Each structure stands twice: as structure tokens, then as C-alpha cells.
Amino acid sequence: MIKTVKDIDLKGKRIIMRVDFNVPMKDGVVQDDTRIMAALPTIKYIIEQNPRSLVLMSHLGDPKKDVKKAAEKAEKAGKPFTEEDKEKFINGKNRMKPVVEYLASKLGKDVTFLPDALGQKAAIDALPEGAVAMLENVRFHPEETSKDAAERETMAKELASYGDIFVNDAFGTAHRDQASTATIAKFMKEQPVGGFLIEKEVKYIEPMVTNPPKPQVAIIGGAKVSSKIAVLESLLKNASALVIGGGMAYTFLKAQGHKIGKSLVEDDFIDTAKKLLADADAKGVKILLPVDHVGAAEFSADAAPVAVDGIDIPDELMAMDVGPKTIEEYKKVISTAKSIVWNGPVGVFEFDAFAKGTETVAKLVAEATGNGAMTVVGGGDSVAAVNKFHLADKMSHVSTGGGASLEFLEGKTLPGIAILATK
């Protein structure tokens, strides 16, 4: 288990803290404050310990990449993308100042906005005792995400000069070795500690990979086998059953010789799917693939749902959701689980006509939680699903990190966690 802010003395210390305030913005207005609210317990605790100062840092999109996408979109629409358009876009999407104002309103305390991530030491040293400040978006500096270690270290060294203690509470970027997430640790006099959010993520996700309560059921969905194969291989070690749904299921069904119609498939991963099925069989792990489907003639929210009462899918249809027989199979295995990890939807839940499978999975996992199972929901789409169906508070843990939770479930060491002191 990692050490947290509760395990060290913060009084009179300068704290530099990485948070994940990469929140959706529209015209300079925060659209979803989930990540900000998730960091508040750690921020409030640090303030209560009377530090000399608390300086927060985060990224907010990636200005260079975001501007490029916006310019390409404008070009496709036949509209010019001027320097004025660029500045307006950046101010509305990538500038941290509106986030700072939002944070201040939630804290009930002034938060000083520092207009750059670098060159701020004098301003930080001049902050009044107990002040809270926040740097501008760290990704305005290419050194933050540079693949060149020396470039990252140059930025990290300056960031480290802003504090005596580094606190990482940004699980969403813990899988990235960047200047403000991991490289900074090299230049701190004391070993960094985690915040309460990272502590919770580690507490719930790590056992799912290393030593879960058994029987464990893993529900893995989403579009592509290629993005989830490492997770499937990792979870095979402990799971008694693997539920494979979503678009990726049809690569597995094709590997078994079934007809999949116009469904999503990765032909390059047919052999990979065959190997995983064989490995599961050898380990005695039950694999649940769809045995019936809800199909459609086209990928559209307005497409008419067509019931496919069998494994094979007609040539003119694509599978969009699992059918009632499959849902019954899900119920049988999920109800027996002592631990459940869910990453990825089992159908196109964004379209209401094809959301029943994913909604039922969410309800079954919530029910299992109520019956004492440890349940972890990780990955952007499955988190969006439990939020859509208003069941997030019925799970043991809903992860704040899409890519980070995925890599954690793969059994990888996350740089932003590896740097933290351990108990």
C-alpha cells in the first residue's frame, strides 16, 4: 500500500500537487466536474494541515493537438481558421483560469491563478502563508510530454523547485511518464506520496489483478480486441469466468467459425482470439460470448432493432447488442461472483434501442455489490454507462482513469504510482 498525505507532516511545508483536472470545457465553462470533485478531499485535507503553500498543476486537453483538430474540422467545413479563432478556441478549451475559478467556488477559498507553468518560483515564494495556487495548463510546454528524458527533466526540475513535498493524486495520468506526473520525483528531496484518490484506485484495482476475492468474474467489452487483449490475458490468471461482449466479441465468434454478418471484426486478431480461447480452456476459465443478438441493418441510432435468435448473424445485419438468452447467461455467472471487474460495454449503449444489454450488466453488477461482492468499474465507456443508468454509487469503485485503469488491469507498473512511497 502507498503512503498518502496522512502519513507525513505537512505543516509549514510547500506542497506541489498533481491533480487531474482534465475536464470537458465549452466556451470556458466546466461541463463535468467529476474529476475536480474527486480531488477535493485531498486538497481540503492538505489545507487543514496548515502548509506554507499548496500549488496545484494539471493538464487541460493538449493545446497543440486540440488546435490542429479544430483547424482540420474548420477546413472540412470550408471555413477559415484564423489566429483570432485559434486564440478563442484555446481560451475556451485549454486555459486553466476558468477551472481555477470553479475550484475556488467549491473550496470556498481564494485560489491564485499563475499564468504559466514555468517561471513561477518568485510568485510562489511571494504567496501569503497557507495560500492555494494553480499553474496554467502544463501541456502548453512540449517538455511535459516529450519522449526525450532530458527535456522532461528540465521542466520537472523547475516544477520540483515549487515545493518541498510532491503529492500525486492524478490517477488519470498515472500511466504517463511525464514531467509533472513522474519525472518530477527525481528532483524532490523527500519521496512523493499519494492523495486519497490514488490511494482508493490502488486499493480497489490492484487486488483485482493480484489477489481478488474468488470466484472472480471479468466483464470485458468495447469495440476492439486489439485494445483489450492484454487485459484479457492478465485477468485469465485469476478469473473463473470471462464475459466478452461489445464489438470485440465478434472477432471471437468468427474465430469459432460462426457467421457474424456485417458486425465489427478484426481479422488480424482471429489467431489471437483462438489462442486466448485455448488458454482459457486449458486453465478451466469459462468464456461467455453472445449466444443471441440484437442486430441492425446499419450503425445508426435510428436503425430498427432486429432480434437474432441464435449465434450466427445474417449477412445483411450487424450485431449492436446482446440478446435475452445471453443476458440470462450473464445473470448466472455474475450472481455467483465475489469480485467483478468491468471494463467496456457489451453493446452500443449510446443508442437507446441497443442499450439493454449494457444496462442489464450495470444492474447485475450493482446487485452483486449489494450482496457483498467487490466490484470495480474501469474504462471511459463503462464509467459513462454506469453514470447514464444512475448506478455509479451502487458500485464498490468507479475508476477515474480510462487508460490508467486499463494499464493497471493489464498488470503494468504505472510510472505515477511507482514513484510513491510505500508503507
Side-chain angles (χ1 to χ4, degrees):
M1 186 58 72
I2 63 168
K3 280 189 177 181
T4 73
V5 287
K6 274 195 172 175
D7 298 309
I8 59 172
D9 182 13
L10 303 174
K11 188 175 181 180
K13 300 288 181 68
R14 298 175 309 143
I15 312 300
I16 176 80
M17 177 177 170
R18 182 60 156 91
V19 291
D20 181 11
F21 286 177
N22 185 32
V23 296
M25 302 287 290
K26 186 175 181 182
D27 301 326
V29 178
V30 175
Q31 301 297 300
D32 182 343
D33 68 358
T34 303
R35 288 177 171 174
I36 296 172
M37 299 307 288
L40 282 187
T42 305
I43 294 170
K44 287 179 176 178
Y45 176 82
I46 292 172
I47 292 169
E48 288 166 3
Q49 305 313 301
N50 300 314
R52 166 67 184 84
S53 59
L54 169 60
V55 176
L56 306 170
M57 54 183 174
S58 176
H59 72 285
L60 182 58
D62 190 319
K64 189 176 179 181
K65 289 179 182 177
D66 292 343
V67 164
K68 185 180 177 184
K69 284 181 188 175
E72 288 171 352
K73 188 177 178 182
E75 190 179 326
K76 280 183 184 176
K79 298 176 183 176
F81 193 72
T82 64
E83 281 298 315
E84 189 178 332
D85 292 330
K86 176 182 172 182
E87 193 58 31
K88 185 180 177 184
F89 175 83
I90 287 173
N91 286 338
K93 187 174 175 66
N94 301 116
R95 296 284 180 198
M96 199 61 77
K97 190 174 182 182
V99 179
V100 172
E101 291 166 355
Y102 190 91
L103 173 65
S105 72
K106 293 297 176 183
L107 279 177
K109 179 181 173 67
D110 287 343
V111 179
T112 302
F113 173 61
L114 299 171
D116 200 341
L118 299 179
Q120 300 302 309
K121 188 166 187 312
I124 290 167
D125 288 346
L127 288 170
E129 192 87 18
V132 179
M134 182 148 203
L135 304 175
E136 178 60 282
N137 182 352
V138 291
R139 286 194 183 171
F140 275 110
H141 295 275
E143 300 95 325
E144 162 71 2
T145 56
S146 175
K147 301 294 183 194
D148 185 311
E151 288 183 357
R152 284 200 318 276
E153 287 177 1
T154 300
M155 180 171 177
K157 190 172 184 179
E158 181 159 353
L159 294 175
S161 73
Y162 299 164
D164 305 310
I165 296 169
F166 174 53
V167 177
N168 191 9
D169 208 22
F171 182 74
T173 55
H175 59 313
R176 306 289 188 206
D177 187 359
Q178 297 177 346
S180 70
T181 62
T183 312
I184 185 174
K186 294 182 180 180
F187 304 100
M188 302 304 303
K189 290 174 183 173
E190 298 185 38
Q191 192 168 354
V193 295
F196 301 140
L197 177 60
I198 273 195
E199 179 187 38
K200 189 181 180 193
E201 296 276 8
V202 172
K203 176 186 171 184
Y204 280 101
I205 300 178
E206 192 171 56
M208 286 292 173
V209 180
T210 56
N211 187 30
K214 294 181 180 179
Q216 181 190 50
V217 173
I219 306 161
I220 306 298
K224 295 183 176 181
V225 178
S226 53
S227 64
K228 299 290 176 76
I229 191 66
V231 172
L232 289 167
E233 288 171 344
S234 172
L235 294 172
L236 264 184
K237 295 168 190 170
N238 288 303
S240 60
L242 277 183
V243 175
I244 300 176
M248 62 188 285
Y250 306 101
T251 298
F252 282 90
L253 288 178
K254 187 171 181 179
Q256 290 181 331
H258 295 292
K259 293 180 180 178
I260 61 165
K262 297 192 293 183
S263 305
L264 188 67
V265 65
E266 288 180 283
D267 286 317
D268 291 349
F269 281 82
I270 295 286
D271 287 341
T272 303
K274 285 179 179 176
K275 183 179 183 304
L276 190 123
L277 291 170
D279 288 347
D281 187 52
K283 288 182 166 73
V285 178
K286 185 182 175 90
I287 298 280
L288 276 79
L289 289 163
V291 294
D292 62 343
H293 320 271
V294 178
E298 60 181 2
F299 188 85
S300 166
D302 302 321
V306 180
V308 180
D309 187 24
I311 295 181
D312 295 303
I313 301 165
D315 292 344
E316 70 276 10
L317 295 177
M318 63 178 68
M320 300 279 277
D321 195 10
V322 295
K325 290 178 184 175
T326 305
I327 288 171
E328 284 304 311
E329 292 299 309
Y330 289 175
K331 285 180 182 175
K332 289 175 191 173
V333 298
I334 293 173
S335 65
T336 66
K338 295 286 188 233
S339 64
I340 300 168
V341 56
W342 178 21
N343 187 290
V346 298
V348 188
F349 76 97
E350 304 94 321
F351 301 161
D352 289 344
F354 307 103
K356 188 175 182 183
T358 302
E359 182 177 10
T360 304
V361 166
K363 287 177 177 176
L364 290 170
V365 176
E367 192 176 312
T369 313
N371 291 332
M374 178 190 268
T375 57
V376 171
V377 182
D381 286 338
S382 25
V383 172
V386 295
N387 285 331
K388 177 177 180 175
F389 305 126
H390 308 292
L391 291 167
D393 62 343
K394 304 294 185 188
M395 311 296 173
S396 302
H397 180 61
V398 178
S399 180
T400 57
S405 65
L406 198 62
E407 291 196 18
F408 212 165
L409 290 171
E410 289 172 9
K412 290 183 178 176
T413 298
L414 306 190
I417 292 174
I419 59 165
L420 303 179
T422 55
K423 292 183 183 179

